[in-house]
Amino acid sequence: MTDRYAVIGNPVAHSRSPEIHAAFAREFGEDIQYERLLATPSGFVETVEAFRNSGASGANVTLPFKPEAFAYAGVCTARAERGKSVNTLQFESDQVVGDNTDGVGLCRDIVSNLGQPLAGTRILLIGAGGAARAVVGALLDCQPEILAITNRTPAKAQLIVAEMDAKKRFCAVAPAELSTRRFDVLINATSASLTASLPMVPPSCFDKNALAYDMMYGKGLTPFLALAASTGARTADGLGMLVEQAAEAFFLWRGKRPSTGPVLNLLKQNSQ
Ligand code: ATR
């Protein structure tokens, strides 16, 4: 019988996850079906329960339901617990296991695909919402010299730092204090790119060989990446993270690690 999976979100029509999982399945000749499921803003649990009860094997969860998926899962992995956010659900006969593959997906894209080491570097994480929370633990696991987090509302960044047990390597920096700091890797985890706006990061923050990474993806440069490019920094959008987080989810579900490079190239070609 074909194993069934889906991505649940709102909106979800734009999601490229079906394309990605279909390509992974082709690599191994796996018989899976992967669809998009739109949940109403208050209808996440109803949607996921109906899908599970229909005999499905698992689901990915995207905005805005990742915190709700964390609450819904009966058991969560340590990396999901750290960010209080779940993007991958595995339906087992007696329980639902929640995991979060976003952090590892981001780090693999930066280190393996983009060739930018994170160990020993100065990282600036911009934003303190759900997207930022989900990747903090994985970034700290990469042993940076310092992980600084900044946010338009500084108290939210301070709260994330206070909650993590990594005070020596993890600090909050208010936007007004950024002008004296420089970083090797700058990651935009705000939703500012959705409204084509720019988070407050002065150009002086980008070191000479910096990598600027926007967790959003789409056509052309986001305002953040355009600013970074004007300083001479390298730029990358979140398409590679999307493929890497999907590969980790596929591994959890199917026990097989797909080759991500060809799938990333395919997505880039299909976007042109
Ligand atoms: P998500 O789950 O995508 O992270 P969220 O939890 O609503 O969404 O968080 C959005 C993040 O983007 C927050 O850090 C927000 O800053 P505030 O905490 O000050 O609201 C940030 N953000 C959104 N629009 C922004 C903008 N135009 N400039 C700077 N930061 C912005």
Side-chain angles (χ1 to χ4, degrees), residues 28-226:
F28 300 112
E30 297 266 306
D31 181 21
I32 71 164
Q33 190 187 317
Y34 190 109
E35 60 190 292
R36 295 181 185 89
L37 284 180
L38 177 69
T40 61
S42 60
F44 171 73
V45 171
E46 195 187 327
T47 304
V48 72
E49 279 282 281
F51 189 55
R52 184 182 173 210
N53 291 336
S54 74
S57 302
N60 285 133
V61 180
T62 187
L63 295 177
F65 300 122
K66 293 180 190 185
E68 265 185 83
F70 174 72
Y72 171 75
V75 185
C76 284
T77 59
R79 57 191 182 181
E81 293 278 354
R82 283 199 295 196
K84 296 184 173 51
S85 158
V86 157
N87 78 337
T88 306
L89 293 166
Q90 190 152 12
F91 304 146
E92 298 183 349
S93 53
D94 55 341
Q95 63 181 4
V96 177
V97 181
D99 197 356
N100 197 312
T101 64
D102 284 333
V104 77
L106 171 69
C107 294
R108 281 202 191 123
D109 190 37
I110 293 176
V111 176
S112 306
N113 299 339
L114 298 166
Q116 168 66 55
L118 291 174
T121 60
R122 298 159 299 169
I123 305 175
L124 179 66
L125 180 63
I126 307 151
R133 261 179 194 280
V135 300
V136 161
L139 288 170
L140 285 169
D141 288 346
C142 292
Q143 306 291 329
E145 178 188 310
I146 189 80
L147 172 62
I149 181 167
T150 189
N151 194 44
R152 179 175 63 182
T153 313
K156 280 165 73 178
Q158 286 158 5
L159 184 66
I160 295 181
V161 173
E163 284 171 7
M164 294 292 292
D165 186 20
K167 305 286 178 296
K168 281 199 192 118
R169 288 184 295 121
F170 189 28
C171 65
V173 180
E177 295 162 13
L178 281 173
S179 56
T180 58
R181 308 285 295 256
R182 289 177 90 78
F183 298 93
D184 306 301
V185 179
L186 299 92
I187 301 167
N188 184 14
T190 70
S191 50
S193 304
L194 285 176
T195 53
S197 48
L198 183 67
M200 305 117 302
V201 182
S204 56
C205 277
F206 296 84
D207 200 55
K208 191 160 49 82
N209 298 312
L211 171 70
Y213 194 101
D214 201 316
M215 283 168 53
M216 297 281 160
Y217 60 88
K219 280 199 166 48
L221 293 182
T222 62
F224 169 72
L225 292 183

